[in-house]
Amino acid sequence: SAFASASASASALRRRGYRGYRPRSAPARAFSSGAGAGEVPSEASVVVLGGGIIGCSVAYHLAKMGVADVVLLERDKVTSGTTWHAAGLMVTFGSLSETSTELRKYTRGLYQSLEAETGQPTGFRACGFIELATDGDRLEEYRRVSAFNRKCGVDVREISPQEVQALFPLCEVGDVLAGFYVEGDGRVNPVDATAALAKGARLSGARIVEGAPVTAVLQRGGRVTGVRYRRGY
């Protein structure tokens, strides 16, 4: 989704039998969002670094796929990095990649269904999305994109400058040749959407640890074997 680019995180995978991540000092006290976290485990199949929208999405989807021991480490608090001040745009229009378009469609559906699954709203509002073409080259490009997107199941339609202004009265349409409108697109609340993914991840068995900045990624033989972190930020 467009919103997915608002944050950055990485996952550290361990080869079977290797330590997933190692506490800098022992014993490691739990500092996790979620009750009953207990001690921070000494190993895990997957360690996700960063509790923004991407990190929480990775943890959510891995846990939903049945990965039993997913641990997410966040240096401060979930969404405290770049995610909290993202625009939160959720649009399906605009890609000439079928894979990207399907991901956008899936993400929009996910943000609409997460509240029922987790009880945590995402703040999704289908307020509609309009892409404006103000020169001939852009108009040709958007018509080509629209044709492809419709083939992929995106309900996008070309509208006149007058229709653009009717939908968005504040828009100056003097130089607008056409708009491309998707009624079902819109925006989410970045913090709420991330919180919903984090809650869904925890409900499926993932562990989210806040206040645990990662200081090193450990490797052996060219493979990631663990991460080093410190407690408290």
Side-chain angles (χ1 to χ4, degrees), residues 2-221:
F3 180 41
S5 65
S7 178
S9 64
S11 62
L13 305 178
R14 70 162 171 88
R15 185 169 60 186
R16 199 67 183 169
Y18 280 176
R19 184 178 298 275
Y21 70 100
R22 301 171 187 153
R24 192 172 186 181
S25 61
R29 305 290 292 178
F31 190 55
S32 173
S33 53
E39 295 275 333
V40 176
S42 61
E43 65 178 45
S45 293
V46 180
V47 179
V48 181
L49 309 186
I53 189 70
I54 293 179
C56 289
S57 180
V58 169
Y60 169 83
H61 285 93
L62 287 174
K64 292 285 285 186
M65 288 168 60
V67 179
D69 51 346
V70 176
V71 175
L72 183 150
L73 300 179
E74 161 57 39
R75 65 176 182 86
D76 190 8
K77 298 290 185 181
V78 167
T79 78
S80 64
T82 57
T83 292
W84 72 270
H85 57 77
L89 298 180
M90 181 59 254
V91 300
T92 55
F93 174 79
S95 177
L96 285 172
S97 162
E98 186 172 0
T99 300
S100 174
T101 302
E102 291 301 319
L103 282 171
R104 293 169 184 231
K105 290 163 56 184
Y106 166 78
T107 303
R108 187 177 69 180
L110 177 65
Y111 290 154
Q112 290 173 301
S113 65
L114 268 177
E115 182 174 0
E117 177 185 338
T118 66
Q120 167 65 47
T122 63
F124 179 78
R125 292 183 58 221
C127 53
F129 169 80
I130 305 172
E131 189 77 70
L132 299 179
T134 58
D135 61 57
D137 289 342
R138 194 67 77 185
L139 179 61
E140 180 183 351
E141 175 190 352
Y142 289 160
R143 282 175 172 168
R144 186 167 61 249
V145 171
S146 294
F148 177 79
N149 284 181
R150 281 192 290 268
K151 176 181 177 293
C152 294
V154 176
D155 185 17
V156 54
R157 61 186 180 91
E158 183 176 336
I159 60 176
S160 68
Q162 293 72 32
E163 290 174 295
V164 169
Q165 193 160 55
L167 288 166
F168 184 38
L170 294 177
C171 183
E172 169 56 56
V173 298
D175 61 344
V176 173
L177 300 179
F180 294 83
Y181 176 53
V182 183
E183 184 178 4
D185 283 352
R187 67 176 305 278
V188 298
N189 182 304
V191 173
D192 288 348
T194 305
L197 287 166
K199 186 172 181 179
R202 289 194 297 268
L203 289 173
S204 294
R207 182 168 297 179
I208 297 176
V209 183
E210 297 176 311
V214 171
T215 59
V217 176
L218 309 178
Q219 299 184 50
R220 182 185 303 165

